[in-house]
Amino acid sequence: MDENGRGAWLERAWSFLDERSRLMFAEREDGRTLNEIGQVHGVTRERVRQILLKTEQHLLVTADLMAPDWREHLTELTTRPAVTTKSLADVLGVDGHVTIGAYARAAGFVHPRVWGRDLNGWWAAGSGDLERRLREIAERAPLRAGELSDVAKAAGVSESVPLESLFGGERSPLVQGADDSWLRRRARGRDACYLWLLQRGEPCRAEELATATGVSTAHAVREALRRDDRFVQVRPEGTWALVEWSLPEVTPYANAVEALVAVVRESGPISKDILFSRVAERYPVTAWRMQQCLLSDQIGTTADGLIDLVERGAVPNEESEPPKPDTMAVDPQGNVYGIRLKVDKDVLRGSGILVSSWITWSLGLRRAPMSRTFALPGEAGPLILRRGTSGAQISSLRLYAQAQRMTIGCDIAVLLRADDSTADVRHACEEGTCPARYPDYCPVG
């Protein structure tokens, strides 16, 4: 390419075109459709397509004759995840020209796709490389204010890429926090709590976290942090800390049941109100959770209504019959029980599935911990139904969902036979509504 007249060939190639061809080409590069251009110039969309194709061929042939190394110069930029139209124009030696897109496409560049949309004004050797790197950045979240650019640099994304604009889009996996931090969209509350604790450097209560991070309630904070293995609740204070901190062991109890049993063992027969009060002093937990713990097979009730240990003669407690949910059924003979579930991320991840305790109550599993094993055909292993102090659970259904090609949103039916302890797991979607077979299906309402 002539260094003294860089880009002059492009202007000459453009000047050889007639006025109508130049206008149509500029309109197309501006985003207008073939129909729209045809209406302006009084021709059909097919005629517009033919003119544009001929125009682009002329530009490329002329460039190959006058500047045969232009492709090599543009190809040097393909090592970057994305470059701007201006960067391409600089390599071609022009201040900017409507034909830059044609040369970019001919050199193998495309508009990168980010969060399902083309990023106009930018070019890349592959449509998905930039988004892949952006997702690598997102996987490092949460990010404190000022960390985004450093993480992006490590991921090979240049400073010229508009990171804040891209991550600020509605389809981005990240959202910006109030303090210019970047949080995962689906875990924004927990990520905000994590960064706030990291900055504070010491445990604090859920109420304080809710106020500092904007999470709706302290209860919502507690429920969210319990499901996140980055956090730990410090007992007996009930404050929340980060697992990565070195914290002294402040309680000998692994869970609420252990704390409740310890109090009963020390005090002897005790009223429920006093028991709950003493347990809360040692191991802060809600009265609702302690009520669940009374279903433990270690705890019972004496003849005079006090709480004591089963090993000392107390009668084990049994819950009253829970209401039967619409998703569960039993045949008239009381032998075959059915459970209908929706396949979700927990099912596909292999987690145990929480279900209504009506099923365990009906099958006689009325104390905790109690379980029953049901044999399944094939090599996937048995299905286990458990009754714990906090509810009922079915063991993982992932293998059965995978074997029957289920996806998120599919209906799955679990049939349990009480007489021979066998089970069956079936794909239960109605015809025409299965997300796996009809991915575009969307129920009305």
Side-chain angles (χ1 to χ4, degrees):
M1 190 176 294
D2 183 4
E3 293 296 328
N4 296 323
R6 296 180 70 232
W9 58 271
L10 189 150
E11 291 292 348
R12 292 187 63 188
W14 182 248
S15 67
F16 290 151
L17 294 168
D18 62 83
E19 183 66 19
R20 186 176 70 165
S21 295
R22 289 198 296 262
L23 284 174
M24 286 187 175
F25 189 89
E27 290 164 356
R28 184 59 171 166
E29 291 296 303
D30 196 40
R32 294 191 181 184
T33 66
L34 298 180
N35 281 331
E36 290 173 340
I37 298 172
Q39 290 174 2
V40 171
H41 297 276
V43 296
T44 65
R45 67 184 306 277
E46 176 59 23
R47 180 55 183 154
V48 172
R49 188 191 66 80
Q50 293 172 356
I51 293 173
L52 292 177
L53 179 60
K54 184 177 180 180
T55 299
E56 192 156 320
Q57 289 174 341
H58 161 78
L59 291 171
L60 297 178
V61 169
T62 305
D64 290 338
L65 291 173
M66 301 179 66
D69 58 351
W70 69 271
R71 296 173 190 268
E72 287 74 12
H73 284 275
L74 288 186
T75 303
E76 293 175 0
L77 299 179
T78 58
T79 57
R80 304 182 192 179
V83 294
T84 63
T85 301
K86 183 180 184 305
S87 296
L88 298 180
D90 289 343
V91 168
L92 294 176
V94 296
D95 292 333
H97 201 278
V98 70
T99 60
I100 298 298
Y103 296 112
R105 290 187 291 270
F109 286 90
V110 294
H111 290 304
R113 288 185 67 80
V114 176
W115 323 138
R117 297 178 179 175
D118 288 341
L119 186 60
N120 293 322
W122 288 79
W123 299 88
S127 63
D129 185 47
L130 177 60
E131 181 170 328
R132 179 183 61 78
R133 300 192 188 210
L134 292 178
R135 290 196 180 278
E136 289 179 5
I137 297 171
E139 289 174 1
R140 296 283 302 276
L143 303 173
R144 290 175 289 189
E147 289 184 334
L148 181 61
S149 58
D150 292 336
V151 175
K153 184 177 180 180
V157 178
S158 67
E159 296 180 357
S160 62
V161 175
L163 292 173
E164 293 193 2
S165 174
L166 294 177
F167 281 123
E170 60 181 12
R171 297 188 179 185
S172 163
L174 300 184
V175 294
Q176 195 162 20
D179 55 352
D180 293 330
S181 60
W182 288 95
L183 315 172
R184 292 173 297 166
R185 184 176 296 276
R186 295 185 177 181
R188 65 183 73 184
R190 286 177 284 149
D191 281 358
C193 289
Y194 176 84
L195 292 180
W196 198 84
L197 282 172
L198 197 64
Q199 180 180 6
R200 178 186 173 96
E202 61 182 12
C204 70
R205 294 193 173 277
E207 291 79 5
E208 189 175 357
L209 280 169
T211 300
T213 61
V215 178
S216 56
T217 64
H219 174 72
V221 169
R222 285 189 288 267
E223 290 303 307
L225 301 195
R226 284 193 183 104
R227 302 192 303 271
D228 194 315
D229 58 12
R230 294 176 297 174
F231 303 91
V232 62
Q233 191 168 23
V234 182
R235 306 289 189 174
E237 293 90 346
T239 55
W240 289 91
L242 299 181
V243 170
E244 61 196 67
W245 293 344
S246 297
L247 295 170
E249 187 65 37
V250 294
T251 177
Y253 312 118
N255 52 54
V257 172
E258 286 190 11
L260 189 142
V261 169
V263 172
V264 174
R265 189 177 300 281
E266 295 172 10
S267 64
I270 186 174
S271 71
K272 186 172 75 172
D273 290 343
I274 296 176
L275 171 63
F276 283 10
S277 176
R278 291 183 181 178
V279 171
E281 292 174 358
R282 300 187 182 189
Y283 192 89
V285 68
T286 65
W288 176 79
R289 179 69 181 105
M290 285 187 279
Q291 185 69 41
Q292 290 179 318
C293 295
L294 295 180
L295 295 175
S296 168
D297 59 358
Q298 301 179 71
I299 300 295
T301 303
T302 65
D304 52 359
L306 299 178
I307 306 300
D308 201 357
L309 299 178
V310 170
E311 66 187 49
R312 294 199 293 231
V315 177
N317 299 308
E318 292 186 1
E319 64 178 341
S320 58
E321 181 177 5
K324 183 174 75 67
D326 294 338
T327 55
M328 293 184 178
V330 60
D331 72 337
Q333 289 73 39
N335 186 47
V336 181
Y337 291 80
I339 307 171
R340 192 180 188 93
L341 302 166
K342 282 287 185 185
V343 175
D344 58 15
K345 290 184 178 179
D346 287 336
V347 172
L348 298 181
R349 186 165 48 227
S351 306
I353 310 301
L354 296 177
V355 295
S356 168
S357 58
W358 176 86
I359 191 74
T360 48
W361 190 95
S362 299
L363 287 167
L365 308 178
R366 300 180 184 178
R367 293 188 297 276
M370 295 185 73
S371 65
R372 184 166 176 179
T373 300
F374 296 84
L376 275 158
E379 301 179 357
L383 186 149
I384 301 173
L385 179 65
R386 294 184 177 89
R387 177 67 174 94
T389 57
S390 59
Q393 187 180 70
I394 291 179
S395 57
S396 173
L397 299 175
R398 179 172 64 90
L399 293 178
Y400 315 112
Q402 289 179 341
Q404 299 183 47
R405 301 181 182 276
M406 300 184 204
T407 188
I408 291 177
C410 283
D411 287 331
I412 185 170
V414 179
L415 302 179
L416 307 174
R417 292 190 63 91
D419 58 350
D420 60 2
S421 294
T422 60
D424 189 16
V425 179
R426 301 178 182 177
H427 195 160
C429 289
E430 296 181 5
E431 182 63 31
T433 67
C434 177
R437 299 171 184 167
Y438 307 96
D440 296 329
Y441 169 73
C442 180
V444 178

